[in-house]
Amino acid sequence: MEMSESLPKARVQIAHPAIAMLGLMIGAFVGMFSETALNIALPSLMASLHVTQGTVQWLVTGYMLVIGICMPLSSMLTKRFDTKKIVLFGLGAFLIGAVIAAMAPAFPVLLFGRMLQGIGTGLVLPLMFAVAMQIFPPYRLGTVMGLAALVIMFAPAIGPTITGILLGVASWHAIFWLLVPFLAVAFILTAIALDNAFEQKSIPIDWASIALSTIGFGGIVIGTSMASDAGWLSVRVILALVVGIAALALYAGRQLSQSAPMLNLKAFKNRAFTTGTLLVMLDFGVILASMYLLPQYLQNVMGLPVAMTGLAMLPGGIVNAAVSAVAGRLYDRFGAKWLTRAGFIVAAIGVVILMSTNAHSSLAQVIAGHIILMIGAPLAMSPAQTYGLNSLPGSQSADGSAILNTLQQIVGAVATAIATSMLALGSASQAGVAGLTTGAHLGFGFVLIIAIVAFVISLGVKGKVKSEDVPLN
């Protein structure tokens, strides 16, 4: 009893933190699952809804666009509204959006439902990490953040597998119906167990910052998404990127000059947070680009049907889940230094194996490369995330989580767009399977570069950091 009383307490005490966290994790899992689940279904959606490749891509782009707009707002909302109300609003929007998408008779209705789902992911995902930092004591954060990392790593990895199996036995409508019961459970658990986790302040709404954030993140997501079809040197792509970057620069300047900013970018003065954020961004880029390339490679180069493609990606998804669950506990024991370095080395080895395959390679070799990649990426993710967020004081935890998750989504969109461009470049250079193989190899080469850059940055990771040692300003 004396030992437990001497251990540091959580910043905010609630009656059932584990149940509250479970509700948040289920909601975030569904959001991240939805991020890659449609990749494998896009050809089916094109045929069923009679739309072009450029049009159907908006189901991915529109979803990420809304996420990119909502995430920077999440920190400001926690300062003005009760935490439970924000999460329930996000989960409710996601649930309604899933039902609308599942029943959609035409593409515009499906797109509307899909963008409603983006509201849920954009609010729930950053709050999952921010709330965890508040309601659990420091000595349990590694384990909890490891489980949270399992959500953002395992969900996009398992998305293509589940979708492939569903499409083998049902229509694309089943993908969205699958989400509904999980969202309902998340809503109930949150309503029962989550309490307010942040202090509310009477601060005015900064409409200029909201507009700049929306234009900035929206411009970058739209620009990178259009690049795969129009080319990176297209006038409309360049215009969207320039407008987005300029708006973000103005947004950052405004946040740094205000006494009560919408998003406290002064968190970047903390070196550990900056390093952890960069590593999480790059790790997520590795995951999303790979999860986009691999189904295309298996179907178009190796000739697997959609259901078999999903099954071929299952072993890697299972390994991903196992490593994500263990990585948090390893952080509690060893810190982030060696785990992040080892993780990116292992991930790079997996990518090299995938680059060495072709249409005549065995399926076992591709699965092996995927498994090794799925060992390395989650091994680095949870330690990097905990290392960065745990370095911030409680007053900055919501800001740090919103910053990290927003940039993660932006990098995911950019990495996916570049991977798509690599596929197109290879297809343009040669005809048939040879061109598709070259394009996939170029895409995996890009993933390898990301992993190497991340490893170099991980050399700057020190031992464990404690937020109690960090000044508030």
Side-chain angles (χ1 to χ4, degrees), residues 62-292:
Y63 183 69
M64 299 187 77
L65 175 61
V66 175
I67 292 174
I69 291 170
C70 289
M71 276 189 174
L73 301 178
S74 63
S75 176
M76 179 198 72
L77 292 174
T78 63
K79 297 167 186 172
R80 292 182 59 89
F81 302 103
D82 183 271
T83 310
K84 178 188 284 190
K85 292 179 180 178
I86 300 170
V87 175
L88 290 179
F89 175 80
L91 290 172
F94 205 142
L95 182 58
I96 293 170
V99 172
I100 290 173
M103 299 175 66
F107 180 80
V109 180
L110 176 58
L111 179 60
F112 175 70
R114 183 73 169 150
M115 295 179 80
L116 278 181
Q117 294 170 47
I119 295 174
T121 303
L123 294 178
V124 174
L125 188 61
L127 285 179
M128 175 180 66
F129 293 102
V131 169
M133 303 299 294
Q134 297 292 95
I135 67 175
F136 289 97
Y139 63 89
R140 292 184 62 191
L141 275 178
T143 300
V144 174
M145 295 295 275
L147 292 173
L150 186 154
V151 166
I152 65 171
M153 297 294 286
F154 180 54
I158 201 70
T161 297
I162 301 298
T163 304
I165 294 172
L166 278 177
L167 290 175
V169 297
S171 72
W172 59 266
H173 297 275
I175 300 171
F176 298 103
W177 284 123
L178 177 67
L179 309 181
V180 172
F182 291 98
L183 290 167
V185 170
F187 191 94
I188 293 169
L189 292 177
T190 300
I192 292 172
L194 184 60
D195 292 325
N196 190 33
F198 301 95
E199 179 185 355
Q200 272 70 61
K201 303 174 183 178
S202 181
I203 57 174
I205 298 177
D206 185 359
W207 294 108
S209 290
I210 292 175
L212 288 171
S213 170
T214 300
I215 295 170
F217 291 111
I220 291 176
V221 171
I222 290 173
T224 53
S225 298
M226 289 191 303
S228 58
D229 283 337
W232 290 92
L233 298 180
S234 164
V235 173
R236 55 178 175 165
V237 170
I238 293 174
L239 181 62
L241 293 176
V242 169
V243 170
I245 292 170
L248 280 187
L250 292 172
Y251 171 78
R254 187 173 178 85
Q255 303 315 297
L256 293 171
S257 65
Q258 291 182 322
S259 58
M262 189 176 92
L263 196 61
N264 190 357
L265 298 182
K266 291 179 181 177
F268 281 116
K269 291 183 178 180
N270 185 309
R271 184 174 178 180
F273 172 73
T274 302
T275 301
T277 298
L278 286 172
L279 292 178
V280 170
M281 288 165 59
L282 294 171
D283 204 344
F284 197 65
V286 167
I287 286 293
L288 276 200
S290 299
M291 291 304 96
Y292 180 82

Side-chain angles (χ1 to χ4, degrees), residues 319-344:
V319 168
N320 184 314
V323 175
S324 294
V326 171
R329 292 183 179 274
L330 292 176
Y331 173 85
D332 285 336
R333 293 188 61 186
F334 304 110
K337 183 177 180 179
W338 294 109
L339 291 175
T340 52
R341 297 175 188 180
F344 288 116

Side-chain angles (χ1 to χ4, degrees), residues 11 17 67 87 90 93 126 130 132 156 214 243 311 314 318 348 394 416:
R11 293 163 177 164
I67 292 174
V87 175
T214 300
V243 170
L311 290 174
L314 182 59
I318 294 172
T416 301

